[in-house]
PDB file of all heavy atoms in Angstrom:
ATOM      1  N   PRO T  65      -2.692  37.742   7.592  1.00 96.00           N
ATOM      2  CA  PRO T  65      -1.398  37.079   7.499  1.00 96.00           C
ATOM      3  C   PRO T  65      -0.720  37.111   8.876  1.00 96.00           C
ATOM      4  O   PRO T  65      -1.012  38.002   9.667  1.00 96.00           O
ATOM      5  CB  PRO T  65      -0.608  37.920   6.516  1.00 96.00           C
ATOM      6  CG  PRO T  65      -1.540  38.954   5.977  1.00 96.00           C
ATOM      7  CD  PRO T  65      -2.757  38.974   6.831  1.00 96.00           C
ATOM      8  N   HIS T  66       0.050  36.235   9.136  1.00 96.00           N
ATOM      9  CA  HIS T  66       0.569  35.107   8.411  1.00 96.00           C
ATOM     10  C   HIS T  66      -0.311  33.896   8.671  1.00 96.00           C
ATOM     11  O   HIS T  66      -0.645  33.602   9.799  1.00 96.00           O
ATOM     12  CB  HIS T  66       2.009  34.816   8.810  1.00 96.00           C
ATOM     13  CG  HIS T  66       2.985  35.826   8.297  1.00 96.00           C
ATOM     14  ND1 HIS T  66       3.373  36.934   9.002  1.00 96.00           N
ATOM     15  CD2 HIS T  66       3.632  35.900   7.108  1.00 96.00           C
ATOM     16  CE1 HIS T  66       4.241  37.632   8.303  1.00 96.00           C
ATOM     17  NE2 HIS T  66       4.428  37.040   7.139  1.00 96.00           N
ATOM     18  N   LEU T  67      -0.620  33.207   7.563  1.00 96.00           N
ATOM     19  CA  LEU T  67      -1.405  31.982   7.580  1.00 96.00           C
ATOM     20  C   LEU T  67      -0.528  30.862   7.047  1.00 96.00           C
ATOM     21  O   LEU T  67       0.232  31.070   6.098  1.00 96.00           O
ATOM     22  CB  LEU T  67      -2.637  32.126   6.678  1.00 96.00           C
ATOM     23  CG  LEU T  67      -3.421  30.844   6.393  1.00 96.00           C
ATOM     24  CD1 LEU T  67      -4.162  30.384   7.645  1.00 96.00           C
ATOM     25  CD2 LEU T  67      -4.377  31.041   5.239  1.00 96.00           C
ATOM     26  N   TYR T  68      -0.657  29.678   7.638  1.00 96.00           N
ATOM     27  CA  TYR T  68       0.086  28.512   7.180  1.00 96.00           C
ATOM     28  C   TYR T  68      -0.869  27.324   7.088  1.00 96.00           C
ATOM     29  O   TYR T  68      -1.727  27.152   7.959  1.00 96.00           O
ATOM     30  CB  TYR T  68       1.223  28.165   8.145  1.00 96.00           C
ATOM     31  CG  TYR T  68       2.142  29.334   8.387  1.00 96.00           C
ATOM     32  CD1 TYR T  68       1.938  30.184   9.474  1.00 96.00           C
ATOM     33  CD2 TYR T  68       3.179  29.614   7.507  1.00 96.00           C
ATOM     34  CE1 TYR T  68       2.770  31.275   9.684  1.00 96.00           C
ATOM     35  CE2 TYR T  68       4.005  30.705   7.709  1.00 96.00           C
ATOM     36  CZ  TYR T  68       3.800  31.527   8.799  1.00 96.00           C
ATOM     37  OH  TYR T  68       4.617  32.620   8.993  1.00 96.00           O
ATOM     38  N   VAL T  69      -0.742  26.541   6.030  1.00 96.00           N
ATOM     39  CA  VAL T  69      -1.504  25.304   5.845  1.00 96.00           C
ATOM     40  C   VAL T  69      -0.559  24.266   5.251  1.00 96.00           C
ATOM     41  O   VAL T  69       0.511  24.606   4.744  1.00 96.00           O
ATOM     42  CB  VAL T  69      -2.718  25.490   4.907  1.00 96.00           C
ATOM     43  CG1 VAL T  69      -3.711  26.492   5.479  1.00 96.00           C
ATOM     44  CG2 VAL T  69      -2.292  25.897   3.513  1.00 96.00           C
ATOM     45  N   ASP T  70      -0.967  22.999   5.279  1.00 93.00           N
ATOM     46  CA  ASP T  70      -0.206  21.977   4.570  1.00 93.00           C
ATOM     47  C   ASP T  70      -0.667  21.867   3.120  1.00 93.00           C
ATOM     48  O   ASP T  70       0.132  21.863   2.207  1.00 93.00           O
ATOM     49  CB  ASP T  70      -0.339  20.620   5.258  1.00 93.00           C
ATOM     50  CG  ASP T  70       0.634  20.464   6.413  1.00 93.00           C
ATOM     51  OD1 ASP T  70       1.474  21.356   6.612  1.00 93.00           O
ATOM     52  OD2 ASP T  70       0.538  19.451   7.119  1.00 93.00           O
ATOM     53  N   TYR T  71      -1.972  21.760   2.919  1.00 95.00           N
ATOM     54  CA  TYR T  71      -2.527  21.579   1.580  1.00 95.00           C
ATOM     55  C   TYR T  71      -3.547  22.671   1.223  1.00 95.00           C
ATOM     56  O   TYR T  71      -3.673  23.046   0.085  1.00 95.00           O
ATOM     57  CB  TYR T  71      -3.187  20.200   1.447  1.00 95.00           C
ATOM     58  CG  TYR T  71      -2.218  19.066   1.693  1.00 95.00           C
ATOM     59  CD1 TYR T  71      -2.117  18.468   2.940  1.00 95.00           C
ATOM     60  CD2 TYR T  71      -1.393  18.610   0.680  1.00 95.00           C
ATOM     61  CE1 TYR T  71      -1.217  17.431   3.173  1.00 95.00           C
ATOM     62  CE2 TYR T  71      -0.489  17.577   0.898  1.00 95.00           C
ATOM     63  CZ  TYR T  71      -0.401  17.003   2.152  1.00 95.00           C
ATOM     64  OH  TYR T  71       0.496  15.994   2.376  1.00 95.00           O
ATOM     65  N   GLY T  72      -4.316  23.112   2.187  1.00 96.00           N
ATOM     66  CA  GLY T  72      -5.336  24.131   1.955  1.00 96.00           C
ATOM     67  C   GLY T  72      -6.680  23.559   1.574  1.00 96.00           C
ATOM     68  O   GLY T  72      -7.708  23.968   2.105  1.00 96.00           O
ATOM     69  N   TYR T  73      -6.707  22.599   0.679  1.00 95.00           N
ATOM     70  CA  TYR T  73      -7.980  22.065   0.184  1.00 95.00           C
ATOM     71  C   TYR T  73      -8.683  21.154   1.178  1.00 95.00           C
ATOM     72  O   TYR T  73      -9.817  20.747   0.951  1.00 95.00           O
ATOM     73  CB  TYR T  73      -7.806  21.359  -1.162  1.00 95.00           C
ATOM     74  CG  TYR T  73      -6.815  20.222  -1.185  1.00 95.00           C
ATOM     75  CD1 TYR T  73      -7.138  18.962  -0.692  1.00 95.00           C
ATOM     76  CD2 TYR T  73      -5.549  20.404  -1.729  1.00 95.00           C
ATOM     77  CE1 TYR T  73      -6.223  17.925  -0.723  1.00 95.00           C
ATOM     78  CE2 TYR T  73      -4.633  19.366  -1.777  1.00 95.00           C
ATOM     79  CZ  TYR T  73      -4.976  18.121  -1.275  1.00 95.00           C
ATOM     80  OH  TYR T  73      -4.071  17.097  -1.311  1.00 95.00           O
ATOM     81  N   HIS T  74      -8.054  20.832   2.307  1.00 92.00           N
ATOM     82  CA  HIS T  74      -8.717  20.056   3.355  1.00 92.00           C
ATOM     83  C   HIS T  74      -9.332  20.952   4.429  1.00 92.00           C
ATOM     84  O   HIS T  74      -9.823  20.459   5.435  1.00 92.00           O
ATOM     85  CB  HIS T  74      -7.744  19.084   4.033  1.00 92.00           C
ATOM     86  CG  HIS T  74      -7.508  17.845   3.256  1.00 92.00           C
ATOM     87  ND1 HIS T  74      -6.306  17.208   3.235  1.00 92.00           N
ATOM     88  CD2 HIS T  74      -8.334  17.116   2.471  1.00 92.00           C
ATOM     89  CE1 HIS T  74      -6.389  16.144   2.471  1.00 92.00           C
ATOM     90  NE2 HIS T  74      -7.610  16.072   1.992  1.00 92.00           N
ATOM     91  N   CYS T  75      -9.274  22.274   4.232  1.00 94.00           N
ATOM     92  CA  CYS T  75      -9.871  23.221   5.173  1.00 94.00           C
ATOM     93  C   CYS T  75     -11.250  23.630   4.667  1.00 94.00           C
ATOM     94  O   CYS T  75     -11.386  24.094   3.533  1.00 94.00           O
ATOM     95  CB  CYS T  75      -8.995  24.468   5.309  1.00 94.00           C
ATOM     96  SG  CYS T  75      -7.380  24.167   6.015  1.00 94.00           S
ATOM     97  N   PHE T  76     -12.254  23.473   5.498  1.00 95.00           N
ATOM     98  CA  PHE T  76     -13.623  23.853   5.184  1.00 95.00           C
ATOM     99  C   PHE T  76     -13.982  24.955   6.176  1.00 95.00           C
ATOM    100  O   PHE T  76     -14.136  24.687   7.372  1.00 95.00           O
ATOM    101  CB  PHE T  76     -14.556  22.651   5.290  1.00 95.00           C
ATOM    102  CG  PHE T  76     -14.256  21.606   4.249  1.00 95.00           C
ATOM    103  CD1 PHE T  76     -13.162  20.758   4.381  1.00 95.00           C
ATOM    104  CD2 PHE T  76     -15.049  21.504   3.123  1.00 95.00           C
ATOM    105  CE1 PHE T  76     -12.868  19.812   3.413  1.00 95.00           C
ATOM    106  CE2 PHE T  76     -14.771  20.557   2.142  1.00 95.00           C
ATOM    107  CZ  PHE T  76     -13.670  19.716   2.284  1.00 95.00           C
ATOM    108  N   ILE T  77     -14.094  26.189   5.683  1.00 95.00           N
ATOM    109  CA  ILE T  77     -14.207  27.359   6.552  1.00 95.00           C
ATOM    110  C   ILE T  77     -15.566  28.009   6.340  1.00 95.00           C
ATOM    111  O   ILE T  77     -15.888  28.449   5.227  1.00 95.00           O
ATOM    112  CB  ILE T  77     -13.057  28.341   6.270  1.00 95.00           C
ATOM    113  CG1 ILE T  77     -11.707  27.637   6.509  1.00 95.00           C
ATOM    114  CG2 ILE T  77     -13.196  29.590   7.144  1.00 95.00           C
ATOM    115  CD1 ILE T  77     -10.502  28.453   6.103  1.00 95.00           C
ATOM    116  N   GLY T  78     -16.344  28.097   7.422  1.00 94.00           N
ATOM    117  CA  GLY T  78     -17.696  28.626   7.357  1.00 94.00           C
ATOM    118  C   GLY T  78     -17.754  30.142   7.213  1.00 94.00           C
ATOM    119  O   GLY T  78     -16.819  30.863   7.544  1.00 94.00           O
ATOM    120  N   ALA T  79     -18.892  30.614   6.724  1.00 95.00           N
ATOM    121  CA  ALA T  79     -19.135  32.037   6.501  1.00 95.00           C
ATOM    122  C   ALA T  79     -18.977  32.827   7.795  1.00 95.00           C
ATOM    123  O   ALA T  79     -19.304  32.350   8.881  1.00 95.00           O
ATOM    124  CB  ALA T  79     -20.536  32.241   5.933  1.00 95.00           C
ATOM    125  N   GLY T  80     -18.447  34.028   7.654  1.00 95.00           N
ATOM    126  CA  GLY T  80     -18.315  34.919   8.796  1.00 95.00           C
ATOM    127  C   GLY T  80     -17.185  34.567   9.743  1.00 95.00           C
ATOM    128  O   GLY T  80     -17.113  35.104  10.848  1.00 95.00           O
ATOM    129  N   THR T  81     -16.289  33.705   9.340  1.00 94.00           N
ATOM    130  CA  THR T  81     -15.172  33.292  10.192  1.00 94.00           C
ATOM    131  C   THR T  81     -14.070  34.335  10.162  1.00 94.00           C
ATOM    132  O   THR T  81     -13.830  34.985   9.149  1.00 94.00           O
ATOM    133  CB  THR T  81     -14.629  31.922   9.734  1.00 94.00           C
ATOM    134  OG1 THR T  81     -15.627  30.940  10.024  1.00 94.00           O
ATOM    135  CG2 THR T  81     -13.340  31.550  10.427  1.00 94.00           C
TER     136      THR T  81
END
Side-chain angles (χ1 to χ4, degrees):
H66 288 92
L67 169 71
Y68 305 94
V69 298
D70 277 354
Y71 300 96
Y73 57 79
H74 280 145
C75 296
F76 294 76
I77 301 173
T81 291

